[in-house]
Structure formats: C-alpha cells, structure tokens
Amino acid sequence: AQKVTQAQTEISVVEKEDVTLDCVYETRDTTYYLFWYKQPPSGELVFLIRRNSFDEQNEISGRYSWNFQKSTSSFNFTITASQVVDSAVYFCALSEAVRGNLIFGKGTKLSVKP
Amino acid sequence: EAGVAQSPRYKIIEKRQSVAFWCNPISGHATLYWYQQILGQGPKLLIQFQNNGVVDDSQLPKDRFSAERLKGVDSTLKIQPAKLEDSAVYLCASSLSHRSSYNEQFFGPGTRLTVL
C-alpha cells in the first residue's frame, strides 16, 4: 500500500532560522512522483515541487531546497532563512505514474515568528 | 490563466440535508479530482474523472456521495443525506492529464462544509 508519513505535526521557529520538514513514503511502484504543497491560512493548496522516482538530484529554488533519497524513502524539504510568510501547513504527497491521484501526508504546520 | 473555481466557499447545513458543490477546472484540463480534507489531515481523494469518465471512485462513499462531470468540463459533487462526519473542506483539482508527465494538479480554494 502507498503511504506518506510526515512525523512532525507542528514546528515553530524564529525568523531567519533554517527549518527542515521531513517526509517518508512507502510504495511498491518503481515509477512514482513526489510532491510538496503549501497550504496557507487561506486554504488553497499551492504546488511547490514535483520529483520523479528516477531523478535523485537535489533541487534548490531560492530559499527552498529538497533532498530526495530513495535509499531511505525520504523527500525532505528545507527552508533557509525562514520568513513569517512561510507560515503555513506543508504537505508531502505521492502519486502513482499511471493514475496520477495524490496520496497526502497529514501535513506539518510551520509557524515562523518574527 | 484562470485557476480552478469552486462554489460555494462555505456551506452550513443540518445533518440529513442535501448539499451540492460545483467545480470549474482550468480550461483544457482533462482530469478533474475531488478531495475531502478533514481538519488536521491531508486531502483524501474521493473521485477522479478523465474527461467525463470516472477513473477512480474507490474511496467515494457511494451510499451518500455522488459526482458527475457532464460534457467533461464542470463537475458537481453531491452529498445526500449529510452526516456530521462529512464536515470538511472539499477541494477540487485539475490537471492536463492523469498521465505521468502532466499530472501536476492545480487546486481550487475549496468549499468548507459544516454539518450541524
């Protein structure tokens, strides 16, 4: 069965601190996709990144970076120099290559305090 | 480009009443998804359409939930009769295709349902 685990329910940091959000997944598929979404208080899910199972290169986008390690089935997300606007719930998700539906973790609520 | 539209944004009903939600996906997107997000949890897929056909409705409580996507564009999700445990945010998403290369999903703002 496919499953996504985000063990951190809530994280609170002070502005400018670095923070890493953990994501561990389970799947028997050899081809799959991993995603991170941000859900601000307004409620709309905002796409952040998609990685396929064949591409283990880490990715950096501004203050955001992602570390994908198939050996540990993890896809962690780091925010460098956090800002108050980063406060949101962050979801990690997994999708099969064939059907495309997303399986979400329970989310990690990040609070960045000034 | 307009995003995924949903209405209403909020709905309060009493248990055993009926309710319907509407979704208009991004123009040209063949695949449409309905998710249920209970407070404190991640979204859970209820039903997935490819054009006007159902791809996956394995987690849809079919005794009370129904959905349709006439003409392969707009979609309606209905609950009849509603139960207290149906209180949640109902999210609609769309993607160009369910095929792997195009399965980035864009989400609407959701409809927050409260069942009293």
Side-chain angles (χ1 to χ4, degrees), chain A residues 14-20 60-66 77-83 86 110:
Chain A
V14 177
E15 210 171 17
K16 297 183 184 176
E17 283 186 18
D18 299 347
V19 59
T20 295
I60 297 174
S61 176
R63 296 184 297 106
Y64 295 170
S65 62
W66 291 269
F77 172 31
T78 297
I79 303 174
T80 303
S82 59
Q83 300 176 1
D86 296 328
L110 175 65

PDB file of all heavy atoms in Angstrom, chain A residues 14-20 60-66 77-83 86 110:
ATOM      1  N   VAL A  14      12.009  30.815  14.777  1.00  0.00           N
ATOM      2  CA  VAL A  14      12.115  32.262  14.742  1.00  0.00           C
ATOM      3  C   VAL A  14      12.625  32.669  13.371  1.00  0.00           C
ATOM      4  O   VAL A  14      13.426  31.959  12.757  1.00  0.00           O
ATOM      5  CB  VAL A  14      13.054  32.770  15.853  1.00  0.00           C
ATOM      6  CG1 VAL A  14      13.233  34.283  15.767  1.00  0.00           C
ATOM      7  CG2 VAL A  14      12.520  32.374  17.218  1.00  0.00           C
ATOM      8  N   GLU A  15      12.141  33.785  12.883  1.00  0.00           N
ATOM      9  CA  GLU A  15      12.541  34.277  11.565  1.00  0.00           C
ATOM     10  C   GLU A  15      14.049  34.208  11.383  1.00  0.00           C
ATOM     11  O   GLU A  15      14.819  34.455  12.313  1.00  0.00           O
ATOM     12  CB  GLU A  15      12.070  35.725  11.422  1.00  0.00           C
ATOM     13  CG  GLU A  15      11.760  36.130  10.006  1.00  0.00           C
ATOM     14  CD  GLU A  15      11.082  37.486   9.910  1.00  0.00           C
ATOM     15  OE1 GLU A  15      11.142  38.251  10.898  1.00  0.00           O
ATOM     16  OE2 GLU A  15      10.502  37.765   8.855  1.00  0.00           O
ATOM     17  N   LYS A  16      14.445  33.817  10.167  1.00  0.00           N
ATOM     18  CA  LYS A  16      15.838  33.682   9.724  1.00  0.00           C
ATOM     19  C   LYS A  16      16.463  32.350  10.108  1.00  0.00           C
ATOM     20  O   LYS A  16      17.575  32.059   9.658  1.00  0.00           O
ATOM     21  CB  LYS A  16      16.718  34.837  10.211  1.00  0.00           C
ATOM     22  CG  LYS A  16      16.298  36.198   9.650  1.00  0.00           C
ATOM     23  CD  LYS A  16      17.225  37.302  10.083  1.00  0.00           C
ATOM     24  CE  LYS A  16      16.686  38.639   9.580  1.00  0.00           C
ATOM     25  NZ  LYS A  16      17.518  39.769  10.060  1.00  0.00           N
ATOM     26  N   GLU A  17      15.768  31.558  10.895  1.00  0.00           N
ATOM     27  CA  GLU A  17      16.277  30.207  11.168  1.00  0.00           C
ATOM     28  C   GLU A  17      16.026  29.322   9.955  1.00  0.00           C
ATOM     29  O   GLU A  17      15.096  29.543   9.183  1.00  0.00           O
ATOM     30  CB  GLU A  17      15.553  29.594  12.370  1.00  0.00           C
ATOM     31  CG  GLU A  17      15.992  30.105  13.714  1.00  0.00           C
ATOM     32  CD  GLU A  17      15.325  29.341  14.850  1.00  0.00           C
ATOM     33  OE1 GLU A  17      14.802  28.234  14.600  1.00  0.00           O
ATOM     34  OE2 GLU A  17      15.327  29.842  15.972  1.00  0.00           O
ATOM     35  N   ASP A  18      16.862  28.298   9.806  1.00  0.00           N
ATOM     36  CA  ASP A  18      16.625  27.276   8.793  1.00  0.00           C
ATOM     37  C   ASP A  18      15.728  26.205   9.398  1.00  0.00           C
ATOM     38  O   ASP A  18      15.806  25.915  10.606  1.00  0.00           O
ATOM     39  CB  ASP A  18      17.938  26.637   8.338  1.00  0.00           C
ATOM     40  CG  ASP A  18      18.894  27.636   7.701  1.00  0.00           C
ATOM     41  OD1 ASP A  18      18.450  28.765   7.382  1.00  0.00           O
ATOM     42  OD2 ASP A  18      20.075  27.285   7.527  1.00  0.00           O
ATOM     43  N   VAL A  19      14.879  25.607   8.565  1.00  0.00           N
ATOM     44  CA  VAL A  19      13.989  24.562   9.080  1.00  0.00           C
ATOM     45  C   VAL A  19      13.841  23.473   8.022  1.00  0.00           C
ATOM     46  O   VAL A  19      13.769  23.754   6.828  1.00  0.00           O
ATOM     47  CB  VAL A  19      12.617  25.154   9.461  1.00  0.00           C
ATOM     48  CG1 VAL A  19      11.938  25.831   8.277  1.00  0.00           C
ATOM     49  CG2 VAL A  19      11.710  24.097  10.069  1.00  0.00           C
ATOM     50  N   THR A  20      13.832  22.214   8.478  1.00  0.00           N
ATOM     51  CA  THR A  20      13.662  21.073   7.575  1.00  0.00           C
ATOM     52  C   THR A  20      12.398  20.323   7.936  1.00  0.00           C
ATOM     53  O   THR A  20      12.185  19.965   9.093  1.00  0.00           O
ATOM     54  CB  THR A  20      14.875  20.125   7.654  1.00  0.00           C
ATOM     55  OG1 THR A  20      16.036  20.816   7.170  1.00  0.00           O
ATOM     56  CG2 THR A  20      14.648  18.893   6.784  1.00  0.00           C
ATOM     57  N   ILE A  60      17.289  23.126  -5.687  1.00  0.00           N
ATOM     58  CA  ILE A  60      17.251  24.373  -4.923  1.00  0.00           C
ATOM     59  C   ILE A  60      16.478  25.401  -5.734  1.00  0.00           C
ATOM     60  O   ILE A  60      16.687  25.557  -6.939  1.00  0.00           O
ATOM     61  CB  ILE A  60      18.672  24.899  -4.648  1.00  0.00           C
ATOM     62  CG1 ILE A  60      19.455  23.900  -3.792  1.00  0.00           C
ATOM     63  CG2 ILE A  60      18.615  26.257  -3.943  1.00  0.00           C
ATOM     64  CD1 ILE A  60      20.914  24.271  -3.595  1.00  0.00           C
ATOM     65  N   SER A  61      15.565  26.076  -5.032  1.00  0.00           N
ATOM     66  CA  SER A  61      14.825  27.165  -5.668  1.00  0.00           C
ATOM     67  C   SER A  61      14.751  28.313  -4.676  1.00  0.00           C
ATOM     68  O   SER A  61      13.927  28.300  -3.760  1.00  0.00           O
ATOM     69  CB  SER A  61      13.418  26.694  -6.064  1.00  0.00           C
ATOM     70  OG  SER A  61      12.668  27.759  -6.600  1.00  0.00           O
ATOM     71  N   GLY A  62      15.625  29.261  -4.829  1.00  0.00           N
ATOM     72  CA  GLY A  62      15.668  30.376  -3.897  1.00  0.00           C
ATOM     73  C   GLY A  62      16.006  29.909  -2.491  1.00  0.00           C
ATOM     74  O   GLY A  62      17.053  29.278  -2.278  1.00  0.00           O
ATOM     75  N   ARG A  63      15.104  30.145  -1.546  1.00  0.00           N
ATOM     76  CA  ARG A  63      15.358  29.732  -0.156  1.00  0.00           C
ATOM     77  C   ARG A  63      14.904  28.290   0.097  1.00  0.00           C
ATOM     78  O   ARG A  63      15.085  27.777   1.201  1.00  0.00           O
ATOM     79  CB  ARG A  63      14.606  30.660   0.796  1.00  0.00           C
ATOM     80  CG  ARG A  63      15.085  32.102   0.753  1.00  0.00           C
ATOM     81  CD  ARG A  63      14.373  32.976   1.794  1.00  0.00           C
ATOM     82  NE  ARG A  63      12.938  33.076   1.564  1.00  0.00           N
ATOM     83  CZ  ARG A  63      12.024  32.457   2.291  1.00  0.00           C
ATOM     84  NH1 ARG A  63      12.380  31.685   3.309  1.00  0.00           N
ATOM     85  NH2 ARG A  63      10.733  32.619   2.032  1.00  0.00           N
ATOM     86  N   TYR A  64      14.291  27.683  -0.894  1.00  0.00           N
ATOM     87  CA  TYR A  64      13.770  26.329  -0.750  1.00  0.00           C
ATOM     88  C   TYR A  64      14.747  25.318  -1.342  1.00  0.00           C
ATOM     89  O   TYR A  64      15.334  25.556  -2.408  1.00  0.00           O
ATOM     90  CB  TYR A  64      12.450  26.183  -1.491  1.00  0.00           C
ATOM     91  CG  TYR A  64      11.292  26.994  -0.970  1.00  0.00           C
ATOM     92  CD1 TYR A  64      10.105  27.082  -1.693  1.00  0.00           C
ATOM     93  CD2 TYR A  64      11.346  27.678   0.235  1.00  0.00           C
ATOM     94  CE1 TYR A  64       9.017  27.807  -1.237  1.00  0.00           C
ATOM     95  CE2 TYR A  64      10.271  28.419   0.697  1.00  0.00           C
ATOM     96  CZ  TYR A  64       9.113  28.477  -0.038  1.00  0.00           C
ATOM     97  OH  TYR A  64       8.041  29.202   0.409  1.00  0.00           O
ATOM     98  N   SER A  65      14.884  24.177  -0.681  1.00  0.00           N
ATOM     99  CA  SER A  65      15.669  23.082  -1.249  1.00  0.00           C
ATOM    100  C   SER A  65      15.037  21.757  -0.847  1.00  0.00           C
ATOM    101  O   SER A  65      14.365  21.658   0.184  1.00  0.00           O
ATOM    102  CB  SER A  65      17.134  23.153  -0.795  1.00  0.00           C
ATOM    103  OG  SER A  65      17.224  23.022   0.605  1.00  0.00           O
ATOM    104  N   TRP A  66      15.258  20.763  -1.699  1.00  0.00           N
ATOM    105  CA  TRP A  66      14.656  19.457  -1.470  1.00  0.00           C
ATOM    106  C   TRP A  66      15.720  18.386  -1.582  1.00  0.00           C
ATOM    107  O   TRP A  66      16.572  18.434  -2.482  1.00  0.00           O
ATOM    108  CB  TRP A  66      13.555  19.183  -2.502  1.00  0.00           C
ATOM    109  CG  TRP A  66      12.360  20.051  -2.309  1.00  0.00           C
ATOM    110  CD1 TRP A  66      11.265  19.793  -1.557  1.00  0.00           C
ATOM    111  CD2 TRP A  66      12.150  21.362  -2.866  1.00  0.00           C
ATOM    112  NE1 TRP A  66      10.383  20.842  -1.609  1.00  0.00           N
ATOM    113  CE2 TRP A  66      10.899  21.810  -2.399  1.00  0.00           C
ATOM    114  CE3 TRP A  66      12.897  22.189  -3.707  1.00  0.00           C
ATOM    115  CZ2 TRP A  66      10.360  23.050  -2.748  1.00  0.00           C
ATOM    116  CZ3 TRP A  66      12.371  23.428  -4.056  1.00  0.00           C
ATOM    117  CH2 TRP A  66      11.121  23.848  -3.575  1.00  0.00           C
ATOM    118  N   PHE A  77      12.290  18.627   2.896  1.00  0.00           N
ATOM    119  CA  PHE A  77      12.157  19.991   2.380  1.00  0.00           C
ATOM    120  C   PHE A  77      12.779  20.957   3.385  1.00  0.00           C
ATOM    121  O   PHE A  77      12.420  20.926   4.562  1.00  0.00           O
ATOM    122  CB  PHE A  77      10.664  20.266   2.182  1.00  0.00           C
ATOM    123  CG  PHE A  77      10.285  21.671   1.826  1.00  0.00           C
ATOM    124  CD1 PHE A  77      11.112  22.499   1.094  1.00  0.00           C
ATOM    125  CD2 PHE A  77       9.045  22.176   2.219  1.00  0.00           C
ATOM    126  CE1 PHE A  77      10.741  23.788   0.758  1.00  0.00           C
ATOM    127  CE2 PHE A  77       8.648  23.464   1.881  1.00  0.00           C
ATOM    128  CZ  PHE A  77       9.493  24.273   1.155  1.00  0.00           C
ATOM    129  N   THR A  78      13.721  21.767   2.926  1.00  0.00           N
ATOM    130  CA  THR A  78      14.393  22.723   3.803  1.00  0.00           C
ATOM    131  C   THR A  78      14.110  24.148   3.352  1.00  0.00           C
ATOM    132  O   THR A  78      14.213  24.454   2.166  1.00  0.00           O
ATOM    133  CB  THR A  78      15.914  22.483   3.832  1.00  0.00           C
ATOM    134  OG1 THR A  78      16.165  21.184   4.368  1.00  0.00           O
ATOM    135  CG2 THR A  78      16.621  23.528   4.685  1.00  0.00           C
ATOM    136  N   ILE A  79      13.746  24.978   4.308  1.00  0.00           N
ATOM    137  CA  ILE A  79      13.597  26.411   4.059  1.00  0.00           C
ATOM    138  C   ILE A  79      14.759  27.109   4.758  1.00  0.00           C
ATOM    139  O   ILE A  79      14.945  26.955   5.980  1.00  0.00           O
ATOM    140  CB  ILE A  79      12.254  26.948   4.586  1.00  0.00           C
ATOM    141  CG1 ILE A  79      11.081  26.192   3.956  1.00  0.00           C
ATOM    142  CG2 ILE A  79      12.148  28.452   4.314  1.00  0.00           C
ATOM    143  CD1 ILE A  79       9.721  26.573   4.527  1.00  0.00           C
ATOM    144  N   THR A  80      15.529  27.827   4.004  1.00  0.00           N
ATOM    145  CA  THR A  80      16.676  28.560   4.542  1.00  0.00           C
ATOM    146  C   THR A  80      16.251  29.988   4.870  1.00  0.00           C
ATOM    147  O   THR A  80      15.503  30.600   4.114  1.00  0.00           O
ATOM    148  CB  THR A  80      17.816  28.585   3.510  1.00  0.00           C
ATOM    149  OG1 THR A  80      18.154  27.225   3.172  1.00  0.00           O
ATOM    150  CG2 THR A  80      19.040  29.283   4.049  1.00  0.00           C
ATOM    151  N   ALA A  81      16.732  30.476   5.993  1.00  0.00           N
ATOM    152  CA  ALA A  81      16.417  31.857   6.400  1.00  0.00           C
ATOM    153  C   ALA A  81      14.905  32.098   6.347  1.00  0.00           C
ATOM    154  O   ALA A  81      14.404  32.923   5.582  1.00  0.00           O
ATOM    155  CB  ALA A  81      17.166  32.858   5.525  1.00  0.00           C
ATOM    156  N   SER A  82      14.181  31.359   7.160  1.00  0.00           N
ATOM    157  CA  SER A  82      12.724  31.386   7.122  1.00  0.00           C
ATOM    158  C   SER A  82      12.174  32.798   7.339  1.00  0.00           C
ATOM    159  O   SER A  82      12.813  33.648   7.992  1.00  0.00           O
ATOM    160  CB  SER A  82      12.165  30.435   8.176  1.00  0.00           C
ATOM    161  OG  SER A  82      12.612  30.804   9.466  1.00  0.00           O
ATOM    162  N   GLN A  83      10.980  33.020   6.785  1.00  0.00           N
ATOM    163  CA  GLN A  83      10.305  34.305   6.914  1.00  0.00           C
ATOM    164  C   GLN A  83       8.892  34.070   7.428  1.00  0.00           C
ATOM    165  O   GLN A  83       8.344  32.967   7.286  1.00  0.00           O
ATOM    166  CB  GLN A  83      10.255  35.007   5.549  1.00  0.00           C
ATOM    167  CG  GLN A  83      11.606  35.291   4.944  1.00  0.00           C
ATOM    168  CD  GLN A  83      11.510  35.901   3.563  1.00  0.00           C
ATOM    169  OE1 GLN A  83      10.428  36.139   3.031  1.00  0.00           O
ATOM    170  NE2 GLN A  83      12.678  36.170   2.957  1.00  0.00           N
ATOM    171  N   ASP A  86       6.366  32.331   5.370  1.00  0.00           N
ATOM    172  CA  ASP A  86       6.470  30.882   5.177  1.00  0.00           C
ATOM    173  C   ASP A  86       5.522  30.121   6.096  1.00  0.00           C
ATOM    174  O   ASP A  86       5.366  28.900   5.957  1.00  0.00           O
ATOM    175  CB  ASP A  86       7.908  30.405   5.433  1.00  0.00           C
ATOM    176  CG  ASP A  86       8.909  30.974   4.441  1.00  0.00           C
ATOM    177  OD1 ASP A  86       8.530  31.199   3.274  1.00  0.00           O
ATOM    178  OD2 ASP A  86      10.072  31.205   4.841  1.00  0.00           O
ATOM    179  N   LEU A 110       3.930  24.815  10.014  1.00  0.00           N
ATOM    180  CA  LEU A 110       5.113  25.616  10.300  1.00  0.00           C
ATOM    181  C   LEU A 110       4.691  27.010  10.732  1.00  0.00           C
ATOM    182  O   LEU A 110       3.935  27.686  10.032  1.00  0.00           O
ATOM    183  CB  LEU A 110       6.006  25.712   9.064  1.00  0.00           C
ATOM    184  CG  LEU A 110       7.221  26.633   9.197  1.00  0.00           C
ATOM    185  CD1 LEU A 110       8.193  26.109  10.245  1.00  0.00           C
ATOM    186  CD2 LEU A 110       7.919  26.796   7.851  1.00  0.00           C
TER     187      LEU A 110
END
